[in-house]
PDB file of all heavy atoms in Angstrom:
ATOM      1  N   PHE A1455      -1.227  -5.238  10.063  1.00  0.00           N
ATOM      2  CA  PHE A1455      -2.199  -4.224   9.656  1.00  0.00           C
ATOM      3  C   PHE A1455      -2.890  -4.626   8.371  1.00  0.00           C
ATOM      4  O   PHE A1455      -4.133  -4.596   8.245  1.00  0.00           O
ATOM      5  CB  PHE A1455      -1.507  -2.868   9.532  1.00  0.00           C
ATOM      6  CG  PHE A1455      -2.381  -1.849   8.883  1.00  0.00           C
ATOM      7  CD1 PHE A1455      -3.440  -1.256   9.630  1.00  0.00           C
ATOM      8  CD2 PHE A1455      -2.163  -1.450   7.608  1.00  0.00           C
ATOM      9  CE1 PHE A1455      -4.245  -0.325   9.055  1.00  0.00           C
ATOM     10  CE2 PHE A1455      -2.973  -0.457   7.012  1.00  0.00           C
ATOM     11  CZ  PHE A1455      -3.999   0.105   7.724  1.00  0.00           C
ATOM     12  N   LEU A1456      -2.124  -5.032   7.361  1.00  0.00           N
ATOM     13  CA  LEU A1456      -2.728  -5.438   6.101  1.00  0.00           C
ATOM     14  C   LEU A1456      -3.676  -6.622   6.216  1.00  0.00           C
ATOM     15  O   LEU A1456      -4.646  -6.706   5.497  1.00  0.00           O
ATOM     16  CB  LEU A1456      -1.626  -5.734   5.038  1.00  0.00           C
ATOM     17  CG  LEU A1456      -0.821  -4.536   4.584  1.00  0.00           C
ATOM     18  CD1 LEU A1456       0.294  -4.968   3.586  1.00  0.00           C
ATOM     19  CD2 LEU A1456      -1.729  -3.468   3.923  1.00  0.00           C
ATOM     20  N   ARG A1457      -3.386  -7.491   7.125  1.00  0.00           N
ATOM     21  CA  ARG A1457      -4.287  -8.643   7.324  1.00  0.00           C
ATOM     22  C   ARG A1457      -5.676  -8.216   7.811  1.00  0.00           C
ATOM     23  O   ARG A1457      -6.606  -8.999   7.709  1.00  0.00           O
ATOM     24  CB  ARG A1457      -3.663  -9.663   8.286  1.00  0.00           C
ATOM     25  CG  ARG A1457      -2.410 -10.285   7.725  1.00  0.00           C
ATOM     26  CD  ARG A1457      -2.466 -11.813   7.906  1.00  0.00           C
ATOM     27  NE  ARG A1457      -1.226 -12.349   7.375  1.00  0.00           N
ATOM     28  CZ  ARG A1457      -1.138 -12.871   6.114  1.00  0.00           C
ATOM     29  NH1 ARG A1457      -2.163 -12.882   5.334  1.00  0.00           N
ATOM     30  NH2 ARG A1457      -0.035 -13.446   5.698  1.00  0.00           N
ATOM     31  N   THR A1458      -5.823  -7.024   8.360  1.00  0.00           N
ATOM     32  CA  THR A1458      -7.106  -6.545   8.779  1.00  0.00           C
ATOM     33  C   THR A1458      -7.895  -5.907   7.648  1.00  0.00           C
ATOM     34  O   THR A1458      -9.057  -5.514   7.881  1.00  0.00           O
ATOM     35  CB  THR A1458      -6.946  -5.523   9.917  1.00  0.00           C
ATOM     36  OG1 THR A1458      -6.316  -4.320   9.424  1.00  0.00           O
ATOM     37  CG2 THR A1458      -6.100  -6.063  11.069  1.00  0.00           C
ATOM     38  N   ILE A1459      -7.281  -5.796   6.486  1.00  0.00           N
ATOM     39  CA  ILE A1459      -7.945  -5.093   5.360  1.00  0.00           C
ATOM     40  C   ILE A1459      -8.462  -6.155   4.395  1.00  0.00           C
ATOM     41  O   ILE A1459      -7.728  -7.121   4.000  1.00  0.00           O
ATOM     42  CB  ILE A1459      -6.942  -4.155   4.625  1.00  0.00           C
ATOM     43  CG1 ILE A1459      -6.451  -3.118   5.629  1.00  0.00           C
ATOM     44  CG2 ILE A1459      -7.552  -3.526   3.383  1.00  0.00           C
ATOM     45  CD1 ILE A1459      -5.327  -2.274   5.123  1.00  0.00           C
ATOM     46  N   GLU A1460      -9.739  -6.034   4.026  1.00  0.00           N
ATOM     47  CA  GLU A1460     -10.417  -7.015   3.220  1.00  0.00           C
ATOM     48  C   GLU A1460      -9.608  -7.368   1.930  1.00  0.00           C
ATOM     49  O   GLU A1460      -9.513  -8.528   1.529  1.00  0.00           O
ATOM     50  CB  GLU A1460     -11.774  -6.448   2.784  1.00  0.00           C
ATOM     51  CG  GLU A1460     -12.609  -7.354   1.981  1.00  0.00           C
ATOM     52  CD  GLU A1460     -13.967  -6.750   1.585  1.00  0.00           C
ATOM     53  OE1 GLU A1460     -14.082  -5.521   1.628  1.00  0.00           O
ATOM     54  OE2 GLU A1460     -14.858  -7.517   1.269  1.00  0.00           O
ATOM     55  N   LEU A1461      -8.983  -6.410   1.314  1.00  0.00           N
ATOM     56  CA  LEU A1461      -8.215  -6.622   0.122  1.00  0.00           C
ATOM     57  C   LEU A1461      -7.044  -7.616   0.281  1.00  0.00           C
ATOM     58  O   LEU A1461      -6.687  -8.327  -0.642  1.00  0.00           O
ATOM     59  CB  LEU A1461      -7.670  -5.275  -0.406  1.00  0.00           C
ATOM     60  CG  LEU A1461      -7.028  -5.219  -1.754  1.00  0.00           C
ATOM     61  CD1 LEU A1461      -8.035  -5.622  -2.836  1.00  0.00           C
ATOM     62  CD2 LEU A1461      -6.504  -3.806  -2.010  1.00  0.00           C
ATOM     63  N   PHE A1462      -6.498  -7.725   1.497  1.00  0.00           N
ATOM     64  CA  PHE A1462      -5.307  -8.505   1.722  1.00  0.00           C
ATOM     65  C   PHE A1462      -5.520  -9.634   2.712  1.00  0.00           C
ATOM     66  O   PHE A1462      -4.591 -10.416   2.934  1.00  0.00           O
ATOM     67  CB  PHE A1462      -4.165  -7.623   2.255  1.00  0.00           C
ATOM     68  CG  PHE A1462      -3.862  -6.492   1.340  1.00  0.00           C
ATOM     69  CD1 PHE A1462      -4.274  -5.202   1.647  1.00  0.00           C
ATOM     70  CD2 PHE A1462      -3.141  -6.694   0.161  1.00  0.00           C
ATOM     71  CE1 PHE A1462      -4.002  -4.124   0.774  1.00  0.00           C
ATOM     72  CE2 PHE A1462      -2.850  -5.667  -0.687  1.00  0.00           C
ATOM     73  CZ  PHE A1462      -3.259  -4.372  -0.399  1.00  0.00           C
ATOM     74  N   GLU A1463      -6.688  -9.774   3.311  1.00  0.00           N
ATOM     75  CA  GLU A1463      -6.840 -10.709   4.435  1.00  0.00           C
ATOM     76  C   GLU A1463      -6.664 -12.163   4.068  1.00  0.00           C
ATOM     77  O   GLU A1463      -6.320 -12.958   4.923  1.00  0.00           O
ATOM     78  CB  GLU A1463      -8.218 -10.473   5.078  1.00  0.00           C
ATOM     79  CG  GLU A1463      -9.388 -10.831   4.210  1.00  0.00           C
ATOM     80  CD  GLU A1463     -10.707 -10.428   4.800  1.00  0.00           C
ATOM     81  OE1 GLU A1463     -10.728  -9.877   5.934  1.00  0.00           O
ATOM     82  OE2 GLU A1463     -11.730 -10.733   4.181  1.00  0.00           O
ATOM     83  N   ASP A1464      -6.791 -12.525   2.780  1.00  0.00           N
ATOM     84  CA  ASP A1464      -6.682 -13.929   2.401  1.00  0.00           C
ATOM     85  C   ASP A1464      -5.329 -14.316   1.818  1.00  0.00           C
ATOM     86  O   ASP A1464      -5.174 -15.414   1.295  1.00  0.00           O
ATOM     87  CB  ASP A1464      -7.773 -14.321   1.442  1.00  0.00           C
ATOM     88  CG  ASP A1464      -9.145 -14.336   2.123  1.00  0.00           C
ATOM     89  OD1 ASP A1464      -9.233 -14.692   3.312  1.00  0.00           O
ATOM     90  OD2 ASP A1464     -10.154 -13.906   1.469  1.00  0.00           O
ATOM     91  N   LEU A1465      -4.394 -13.410   1.808  1.00  0.00           N
ATOM     92  CA  LEU A1465      -3.097 -13.693   1.217  1.00  0.00           C
ATOM     93  C   LEU A1465      -2.285 -14.699   2.110  1.00  0.00           C
ATOM     94  O   LEU A1465      -2.368 -14.642   3.317  1.00  0.00           O
ATOM     95  CB  LEU A1465      -2.269 -12.397   1.109  1.00  0.00           C
ATOM     96  CG  LEU A1465      -2.775 -11.347   0.147  1.00  0.00           C
ATOM     97  CD1 LEU A1465      -1.769 -10.160   0.108  1.00  0.00           C
ATOM     98  CD2 LEU A1465      -3.077 -11.854  -1.220  1.00  0.00           C
ATOM     99  N   THR A1466      -1.589 -15.586   1.458  1.00  0.00           N
ATOM    100  CA  THR A1466      -0.707 -16.497   2.180  1.00  0.00           C
ATOM    101  C   THR A1466       0.506 -15.654   2.677  1.00  0.00           C
ATOM    102  O   THR A1466       0.682 -14.482   2.216  1.00  0.00           O
ATOM    103  CB  THR A1466      -0.140 -17.611   1.277  1.00  0.00           C
ATOM    104  OG1 THR A1466       0.685 -17.000   0.252  1.00  0.00           O
ATOM    105  CG2 THR A1466      -1.279 -18.400   0.686  1.00  0.00           C
ATOM    106  N   ASP A1467       1.326 -16.190   3.511  1.00  0.00           N
ATOM    107  CA  ASP A1467       2.495 -15.495   4.011  1.00  0.00           C
ATOM    108  C   ASP A1467       3.423 -15.134   2.867  1.00  0.00           C
ATOM    109  O   ASP A1467       3.989 -14.033   2.816  1.00  0.00           O
ATOM    110  CB  ASP A1467       3.257 -16.336   5.063  1.00  0.00           C
ATOM    111  CG  ASP A1467       2.480 -16.397   6.382  1.00  0.00           C
ATOM    112  OD1 ASP A1467       1.603 -15.587   6.602  1.00  0.00           O
ATOM    113  OD2 ASP A1467       2.821 -17.325   7.147  1.00  0.00           O
ATOM    114  N   ASP A1468       3.601 -16.017   1.902  1.00  0.00           N
ATOM    115  CA  ASP A1468       4.451 -15.768   0.727  1.00  0.00           C
ATOM    116  C   ASP A1468       3.883 -14.593  -0.104  1.00  0.00           C
ATOM    117  O   ASP A1468       4.640 -13.769  -0.576  1.00  0.00           O
ATOM    118  CB  ASP A1468       4.614 -17.024  -0.128  1.00  0.00           C
ATOM    119  CG  ASP A1468       5.550 -18.047   0.492  1.00  0.00           C
ATOM    120  OD1 ASP A1468       6.291 -17.727   1.423  1.00  0.00           O
ATOM    121  OD2 ASP A1468       5.532 -19.209   0.028  1.00  0.00           O
ATOM    122  N   GLN A1469       2.602 -14.611  -0.313  1.00  0.00           N
ATOM    123  CA  GLN A1469       1.963 -13.561  -1.108  1.00  0.00           C
ATOM    124  C   GLN A1469       2.041 -12.220  -0.381  1.00  0.00           C
ATOM    125  O   GLN A1469       2.325 -11.186  -1.010  1.00  0.00           O
ATOM    126  CB  GLN A1469       0.482 -13.930  -1.408  1.00  0.00           C
ATOM    127  CG  GLN A1469       0.370 -15.087  -2.367  1.00  0.00           C
ATOM    128  CD  GLN A1469      -1.008 -15.691  -2.390  1.00  0.00           C
ATOM    129  OE1 GLN A1469      -1.761 -15.604  -1.387  1.00  0.00           O
ATOM    130  NE2 GLN A1469      -1.356 -16.337  -3.487  1.00  0.00           N
ATOM    131  N   MET A1470       1.867 -12.242   0.915  1.00  0.00           N
ATOM    132  CA  MET A1470       1.972 -11.045   1.670  1.00  0.00           C
ATOM    133  C   MET A1470       3.397 -10.511   1.621  1.00  0.00           C
ATOM    134  O   MET A1470       3.660  -9.309   1.465  1.00  0.00           O
ATOM    135  CB  MET A1470       1.553 -11.248   3.153  1.00  0.00           C
ATOM    136  CG  MET A1470       1.616 -10.021   4.006  1.00  0.00           C
ATOM    137  SD  MET A1470       0.357  -8.768   3.477  1.00  0.00           S
ATOM    138  CE  MET A1470      -1.111  -9.455   4.144  1.00  0.00           C
ATOM    139  N   ALA A1471       4.394 -11.409   1.750  1.00  0.00           N
ATOM    140  CA  ALA A1471       5.782 -11.015   1.577  1.00  0.00           C
ATOM    141  C   ALA A1471       6.052 -10.370   0.267  1.00  0.00           C
ATOM    142  O   ALA A1471       6.774  -9.363   0.151  1.00  0.00           O
ATOM    143  CB  ALA A1471       6.676 -12.221   1.810  1.00  0.00           C
ATOM    144  N   HIS A1472       5.419 -10.894  -0.802  1.00  0.00           N
ATOM    145  CA  HIS A1472       5.608 -10.350  -2.139  1.00  0.00           C
ATOM    146  C   HIS A1472       5.032  -8.956  -2.207  1.00  0.00           C
ATOM    147  O   HIS A1472       5.682  -8.010  -2.724  1.00  0.00           O
ATOM    148  CB  HIS A1472       4.948 -11.261  -3.199  1.00  0.00           C
ATOM    149  CG  HIS A1472       5.037 -10.727  -4.585  1.00  0.00           C
ATOM    150  ND1 HIS A1472       6.215 -10.801  -5.307  1.00  0.00           N
ATOM    151  CD2 HIS A1472       4.156 -10.094  -5.373  1.00  0.00           C
ATOM    152  CE1 HIS A1472       6.005 -10.237  -6.501  1.00  0.00           C
ATOM    153  NE2 HIS A1472       4.751  -9.798  -6.549  1.00  0.00           N
ATOM    154  N   VAL A1473       3.832  -8.741  -1.646  1.00  0.00           N
ATOM    155  CA  VAL A1473       3.204  -7.423  -1.614  1.00  0.00           C
ATOM    156  C   VAL A1473       4.127  -6.429  -0.894  1.00  0.00           C
ATOM    157  O   VAL A1473       4.304  -5.327  -1.356  1.00  0.00           O
ATOM    158  CB  VAL A1473       1.797  -7.472  -0.997  1.00  0.00           C
ATOM    159  CG1 VAL A1473       1.279  -6.070  -0.662  1.00  0.00           C
ATOM    160  CG2 VAL A1473       0.832  -8.180  -1.909  1.00  0.00           C
ATOM    161  N   LEU A1474       4.665  -6.879   0.233  1.00  0.00           N
ATOM    162  CA  LEU A1474       5.512  -5.965   1.015  1.00  0.00           C
ATOM    163  C   LEU A1474       6.819  -5.648   0.324  1.00  0.00           C
ATOM    164  O   LEU A1474       7.388  -4.585   0.429  1.00  0.00           O
ATOM    165  CB  LEU A1474       5.765  -6.559   2.418  1.00  0.00           C
ATOM    166  CG  LEU A1474       4.503  -6.649   3.279  1.00  0.00           C
ATOM    167  CD1 LEU A1474       4.747  -7.420   4.555  1.00  0.00           C
ATOM    168  CD2 LEU A1474       3.965  -5.233   3.606  1.00  0.00           C
ATOM    169  N   MET A1475       7.317  -6.645  -0.476  1.00  0.00           N
ATOM    170  CA  MET A1475       8.591  -6.402  -1.205  1.00  0.00           C
ATOM    171  C   MET A1475       8.409  -5.411  -2.369  1.00  0.00           C
ATOM    172  O   MET A1475       9.271  -4.589  -2.597  1.00  0.00           O
ATOM    173  CB  MET A1475       9.140  -7.712  -1.775  1.00  0.00           C
ATOM    174  CG  MET A1475       9.863  -8.545  -0.767  1.00  0.00           C
ATOM    175  SD  MET A1475      10.832  -9.924  -1.457  1.00  0.00           S
ATOM    176  CE  MET A1475       9.857 -10.563  -2.783  1.00  0.00           C
ATOM    177  N   VAL A1476       7.231  -5.492  -3.046  1.00  0.00           N
ATOM    178  CA  VAL A1476       7.038  -4.613  -4.193  1.00  0.00           C
ATOM    179  C   VAL A1476       6.355  -3.321  -3.830  1.00  0.00           C
ATOM    180  O   VAL A1476       6.378  -2.323  -4.563  1.00  0.00           O
ATOM    181  CB  VAL A1476       6.198  -5.319  -5.295  1.00  0.00           C
ATOM    182  CG1 VAL A1476       6.916  -6.550  -5.794  1.00  0.00           C
ATOM    183  CG2 VAL A1476       4.785  -5.655  -4.833  1.00  0.00           C
ATOM    184  N   GLY A1477       5.741  -3.311  -2.653  1.00  0.00           N
ATOM    185  CA  GLY A1477       5.099  -2.091  -2.176  1.00  0.00           C
ATOM    186  C   GLY A1477       6.134  -1.149  -1.513  1.00  0.00           C
ATOM    187  O   GLY A1477       7.230  -1.560  -1.140  1.00  0.00           O
ATOM    188  N   MET A1478       5.719   0.093  -1.380  1.00  0.00           N
ATOM    189  CA  MET A1478       6.628   1.049  -0.745  1.00  0.00           C
ATOM    190  C   MET A1478       5.759   1.930   0.187  1.00  0.00           C
ATOM    191  O   MET A1478       4.747   2.454  -0.230  1.00  0.00           O
ATOM    192  CB  MET A1478       7.275   1.919  -1.815  1.00  0.00           C
ATOM    193  CG  MET A1478       8.277   2.948  -1.161  1.00  0.00           C
ATOM    194  SD  MET A1478       9.224   3.848  -2.416  1.00  0.00           S
ATOM    195  CE  MET A1478       7.934   4.880  -3.117  1.00  0.00           C
ATOM    196  N   VAL A1479       6.224   1.995   1.431  1.00  0.00           N
ATOM    197  CA  VAL A1479       5.554   2.878   2.400  1.00  0.00           C
ATOM    198  C   VAL A1479       6.237   4.225   2.350  1.00  0.00           C
ATOM    199  O   VAL A1479       7.458   4.336   2.385  1.00  0.00           O
ATOM    200  CB  VAL A1479       5.612   2.350   3.825  1.00  0.00           C
ATOM    201  CG1 VAL A1479       4.962   3.300   4.814  1.00  0.00           C
ATOM    202  CG2 VAL A1479       4.910   0.972   3.905  1.00  0.00           C
ATOM    203  N   LYS A1480       5.425   5.274   2.203  1.00  0.00           N
ATOM    204  CA  LYS A1480       5.963   6.614   2.158  1.00  0.00           C
ATOM    205  C   LYS A1480       5.211   7.453   3.155  1.00  0.00           C
ATOM    206  O   LYS A1480       4.004   7.353   3.328  1.00  0.00           O
ATOM    207  CB  LYS A1480       5.825   7.210   0.754  1.00  0.00           C
ATOM    208  CG  LYS A1480       6.504   8.585   0.636  1.00  0.00           C
ATOM    209  CD  LYS A1480       6.555   9.056  -0.802  1.00  0.00           C
ATOM    210  CE  LYS A1480       7.224  10.398  -0.859  1.00  0.00           C
ATOM    211  NZ  LYS A1480       7.215  10.971  -2.181  1.00  0.00           N
ATOM    212  N   ARG A1481       5.952   8.328   3.850  1.00  0.00           N
ATOM    213  CA  ARG A1481       5.386   9.253   4.837  1.00  0.00           C
ATOM    214  C   ARG A1481       5.130  10.595   4.201  1.00  0.00           C
ATOM    215  O   ARG A1481       5.990  11.110   3.451  1.00  0.00           O
ATOM    216  CB  ARG A1481       6.316   9.439   6.025  1.00  0.00           C
ATOM    217  CG  ARG A1481       5.756  10.560   6.991  1.00  0.00           C
ATOM    218  CD  ARG A1481       6.331  10.411   8.305  1.00  0.00           C
ATOM    219  NE  ARG A1481       5.584   9.289   8.907  1.00  0.00           N
ATOM    220  CZ  ARG A1481       5.843   8.809  10.102  1.00  0.00           C
ATOM    221  NH1 ARG A1481       6.831   9.255  10.801  1.00  0.00           N
ATOM    222  NH2 ARG A1481       5.158   7.807  10.596  1.00  0.00           N
ATOM    223  N   TYR A1482       3.944  11.131   4.355  1.00  0.00           N
ATOM    224  CA  TYR A1482       3.576  12.435   3.808  1.00  0.00           C
ATOM    225  C   TYR A1482       3.244  13.339   4.969  1.00  0.00           C
ATOM    226  O   TYR A1482       2.517  12.982   5.883  1.00  0.00           O
ATOM    227  CB  TYR A1482       2.328  12.298   2.878  1.00  0.00           C
ATOM    228  CG  TYR A1482       2.607  11.503   1.660  1.00  0.00           C
ATOM    229  CD1 TYR A1482       2.372  10.124   1.634  1.00  0.00           C
ATOM    230  CD2 TYR A1482       3.041  12.087   0.492  1.00  0.00           C
ATOM    231  CE1 TYR A1482       2.609   9.361   0.485  1.00  0.00           C
ATOM    232  CE2 TYR A1482       3.309  11.374  -0.687  1.00  0.00           C
ATOM    233  CZ  TYR A1482       3.085   9.991  -0.649  1.00  0.00           C
ATOM    234  OH  TYR A1482       3.289   9.273  -1.791  1.00  0.00           O
ATOM    235  N   ARG A1483       3.722  14.540   4.886  1.00  0.00           N
ATOM    236  CA  ARG A1483       3.366  15.604   5.881  1.00  0.00           C
ATOM    237  C   ARG A1483       1.993  16.156   5.521  1.00  0.00           C
ATOM    238  O   ARG A1483       1.615  16.143   4.382  1.00  0.00           O
ATOM    239  CB  ARG A1483       4.387  16.747   5.849  1.00  0.00           C
ATOM    240  CG  ARG A1483       5.741  16.312   6.297  1.00  0.00           C
ATOM    241  CD  ARG A1483       5.887  16.707   7.745  1.00  0.00           C
ATOM    242  NE  ARG A1483       7.187  16.382   8.255  1.00  0.00           N
ATOM    243  CZ  ARG A1483       7.418  15.742   9.374  1.00  0.00           C
ATOM    244  NH1 ARG A1483       6.342  15.413  10.109  1.00  0.00           N
ATOM    245  NH2 ARG A1483       8.572  15.503   9.837  1.00  0.00           N
ATOM    246  N   ALA A1484       1.280  16.624   6.525  1.00  0.00           N
ATOM    247  CA  ALA A1484      -0.013  17.207   6.272  1.00  0.00           C
ATOM    248  C   ALA A1484       0.078  18.261   5.172  1.00  0.00           C
ATOM    249  O   ALA A1484       1.017  19.045   5.129  1.00  0.00           O
ATOM    250  CB  ALA A1484      -0.557  17.872   7.582  1.00  0.00           C
ATOM    251  N   GLU A1485      -0.893  18.243   4.296  1.00  0.00           N
ATOM    252  CA  GLU A1485      -1.041  19.111   3.154  1.00  0.00           C
ATOM    253  C   GLU A1485      -0.134  18.778   1.961  1.00  0.00           C
ATOM    254  O   GLU A1485      -0.159  19.476   0.982  1.00  0.00           O
ATOM    255  CB  GLU A1485      -0.900  20.603   3.533  1.00  0.00           C
ATOM    256  CG  GLU A1485      -1.882  21.087   4.580  1.00  0.00           C
ATOM    257  CD  GLU A1485      -3.335  20.809   4.222  1.00  0.00           C
ATOM    258  OE1 GLU A1485      -3.731  21.064   3.057  1.00  0.00           O
ATOM    259  OE2 GLU A1485      -4.090  20.329   5.091  1.00  0.00           O
ATOM    260  N   SER A1486       0.643  17.697   2.064  1.00  0.00           N
ATOM    261  CA  SER A1486       1.427  17.260   0.924  1.00  0.00           C
ATOM    262  C   SER A1486       0.539  16.573  -0.066  1.00  0.00           C
ATOM    263  O   SER A1486      -0.392  15.825   0.248  1.00  0.00           O
ATOM    264  CB  SER A1486       2.513  16.259   1.393  1.00  0.00           C
ATOM    265  OG  SER A1486       3.408  16.804   2.265  1.00  0.00           O
ATOM    266  N   VAL A1487       0.831  16.753  -1.346  1.00  0.00           N
ATOM    267  CA  VAL A1487       0.103  16.104  -2.437  1.00  0.00           C
ATOM    268  C   VAL A1487       0.610  14.652  -2.585  1.00  0.00           C
ATOM    269  O   VAL A1487       1.805  14.463  -2.739  1.00  0.00           O
ATOM    270  CB  VAL A1487       0.238  16.888  -3.752  1.00  0.00           C
ATOM    271  CG1 VAL A1487      -0.417  16.137  -4.889  1.00  0.00           C
ATOM    272  CG2 VAL A1487      -0.268  18.315  -3.595  1.00  0.00           C
ATOM    273  N   ILE A1488      -0.337  13.760  -2.516  1.00  0.00           N
ATOM    274  CA  ILE A1488      -0.020  12.355  -2.725  1.00  0.00           C
ATOM    275  C   ILE A1488      -0.275  11.952  -4.205  1.00  0.00           C
ATOM    276  O   ILE A1488       0.563  11.328  -4.801  1.00  0.00           O
ATOM    277  CB  ILE A1488      -0.842  11.415  -1.772  1.00  0.00           C
ATOM    278  CG1 ILE A1488      -0.524  11.813  -0.334  1.00  0.00           C
ATOM    279  CG2 ILE A1488      -0.555   9.935  -2.056  1.00  0.00           C
ATOM    280  CD1 ILE A1488      -1.464  11.168   0.686  1.00  0.00           C
ATOM    281  N   LEU A1489      -1.396  12.336  -4.692  1.00  0.00           N
ATOM    282  CA  LEU A1489      -1.749  12.083  -6.106  1.00  0.00           C
ATOM    283  C   LEU A1489      -2.333  13.407  -6.678  1.00  0.00           C
ATOM    284  O   LEU A1489      -3.075  14.107  -5.985  1.00  0.00           O
ATOM    285  CB  LEU A1489      -2.840  11.045  -6.269  1.00  0.00           C
ATOM    286  CG  LEU A1489      -2.461   9.594  -6.060  1.00  0.00           C
ATOM    287  CD1 LEU A1489      -3.732   8.757  -6.278  1.00  0.00           C
ATOM    288  CD2 LEU A1489      -1.397   9.156  -7.030  1.00  0.00           C
ATOM    289  N   THR A1490      -1.993  13.618  -7.941  1.00  0.00           N
ATOM    290  CA  THR A1490      -2.532  14.783  -8.620  1.00  0.00           C
ATOM    291  C   THR A1490      -3.519  14.338  -9.710  1.00  0.00           C
ATOM    292  O   THR A1490      -3.193  13.473 -10.476  1.00  0.00           O
ATOM    293  CB  THR A1490      -1.364  15.597  -9.267  1.00  0.00           C
ATOM    294  OG1 THR A1490      -0.446  15.968  -8.252  1.00  0.00           O
ATOM    295  CG2 THR A1490      -1.897  16.853  -9.952  1.00  0.00           C
ATOM    296  N   GLU A1491      -4.670  15.005  -9.718  1.00  0.00           N
ATOM    297  CA  GLU A1491      -5.664  14.716 -10.733  1.00  0.00           C
ATOM    298  C   GLU A1491      -5.023  14.784 -12.133  1.00  0.00           C
ATOM    299  O   GLU A1491      -4.293  15.736 -12.418  1.00  0.00           O
ATOM    300  CB  GLU A1491      -6.809  15.731 -10.637  1.00  0.00           C
ATOM    301  CG  GLU A1491      -7.869  15.564 -11.658  1.00  0.00           C
ATOM    302  CD  GLU A1491      -9.004  16.567 -11.528  1.00  0.00           C
ATOM    303  OE1 GLU A1491      -8.966  17.335 -10.561  1.00  0.00           O
ATOM    304  OE2 GLU A1491      -9.889  16.564 -12.401  1.00  0.00           O
ATOM    305  N   GLY A1492      -5.268  13.766 -12.949  1.00  0.00           N
ATOM    306  CA  GLY A1492      -4.778  13.796 -14.319  1.00  0.00           C
ATOM    307  C   GLY A1492      -3.369  13.214 -14.492  1.00  0.00           C
ATOM    308  O   GLY A1492      -2.894  13.086 -15.619  1.00  0.00           O
ATOM    309  N   THR A1493      -2.717  12.881 -13.362  1.00  0.00           N
ATOM    310  CA  THR A1493      -1.366  12.312 -13.428  1.00  0.00           C
ATOM    311  C   THR A1493      -1.366  10.872 -12.948  1.00  0.00           C
ATOM    312  O   THR A1493      -1.626  10.619 -11.780  1.00  0.00           O
ATOM    313  CB  THR A1493      -0.365  13.157 -12.540  1.00  0.00           C
ATOM    314  OG1 THR A1493      -0.393  14.524 -12.952  1.00  0.00           O
ATOM    315  CG2 THR A1493       1.048  12.620 -12.630  1.00  0.00           C
ATOM    316  N   ALA A1494      -1.090   9.974 -13.870  1.00  0.00           N
ATOM    317  CA  ALA A1494      -1.160   8.555 -13.559  1.00  0.00           C
ATOM    318  C   ALA A1494      -0.215   8.134 -12.466  1.00  0.00           C
ATOM    319  O   ALA A1494       0.913   8.672 -12.431  1.00  0.00           O
ATOM    320  CB  ALA A1494      -0.904   7.710 -14.786  1.00  0.00           C
ATOM    321  N   SER A1495      -0.646   7.234 -11.602  1.00  0.00           N
ATOM    322  CA  SER A1495       0.247   6.735 -10.565  1.00  0.00           C
ATOM    323  C   SER A1495       0.586   5.250 -10.755  1.00  0.00           C
ATOM    324  O   SER A1495       1.627   4.805 -10.419  1.00  0.00           O
ATOM    325  CB  SER A1495      -0.340   6.928  -9.189  1.00  0.00           C
ATOM    326  OG  SER A1495      -1.320   5.969  -8.880  1.00  0.00           O
ATOM    327  N   GLY A1496      -0.366   4.520 -11.312  1.00  0.00           N
ATOM    328  CA  GLY A1496      -0.146   3.097 -11.548  1.00  0.00           C
ATOM    329  C   GLY A1496      -0.029   2.237 -10.276  1.00  0.00           C
ATOM    330  O   GLY A1496       0.551   1.181 -10.283  1.00  0.00           O
ATOM    331  N   ARG A1497      -0.641   2.760  -9.203  1.00  0.00           N
ATOM    332  CA  ARG A1497      -0.561   2.062  -7.930  1.00  0.00           C
ATOM    333  C   ARG A1497      -1.894   2.118  -7.181  1.00  0.00           C
ATOM    334  O   ARG A1497      -2.656   3.016  -7.311  1.00  0.00           O
ATOM    335  CB  ARG A1497       0.502   2.753  -7.061  1.00  0.00           C
ATOM    336  CG  ARG A1497       1.899   2.569  -7.566  1.00  0.00           C
ATOM    337  CD  ARG A1497       2.912   3.397  -6.749  1.00  0.00           C
ATOM    338  NE  ARG A1497       4.239   3.131  -7.103  1.00  0.00           N
ATOM    339  CZ  ARG A1497       4.849   3.489  -8.236  1.00  0.00           C
ATOM    340  NH1 ARG A1497       4.181   4.165  -9.161  1.00  0.00           N
ATOM    341  NH2 ARG A1497       6.102   3.146  -8.510  1.00  0.00           N
TER     342      ARG A1497
END
C-alpha cells in the first residue's frame, strides 16, 4: 500500500522496512479523535 503513495514510492526495501519498524498502525473507531488542535503529535 505504501509503495502506491508518492511520499514512499521510491524507498528501498531496507528504507521501507525502517519506516514500518518505527511507524505504528492504529485503528480508530468512527468519531474518535486522532489529533487535537493545539496538541503536538510529532508524526
Side-chain angles (χ1 to χ4, degrees):
F1455 169 74
L1456 289 177
R1457 292 227 181 265
T1458 67
I1459 299 170
E1460 182 180 23
L1461 189 61
F1462 303 103
E1463 65 188 3
D1464 292 324
L1465 297 183
T1466 65
D1467 289 342
D1468 286 345
Q1469 291 164 335
M1470 183 65 77
H1472 179 76
V1473 166
L1474 294 172
M1475 279 192 324
V1476 299
M1478 182 174 69
V1479 176
K1480 186 170 180 186
R1481 172 157 285 174
Y1482 294 91
R1483 294 264 182 227
E1485 301 306 317
S1486 298
V1487 175
I1488 300 170
L1489 285 180
T1490 302
E1491 178 180 356
T1493 303
S1495 78
R1497 292 172 172 73

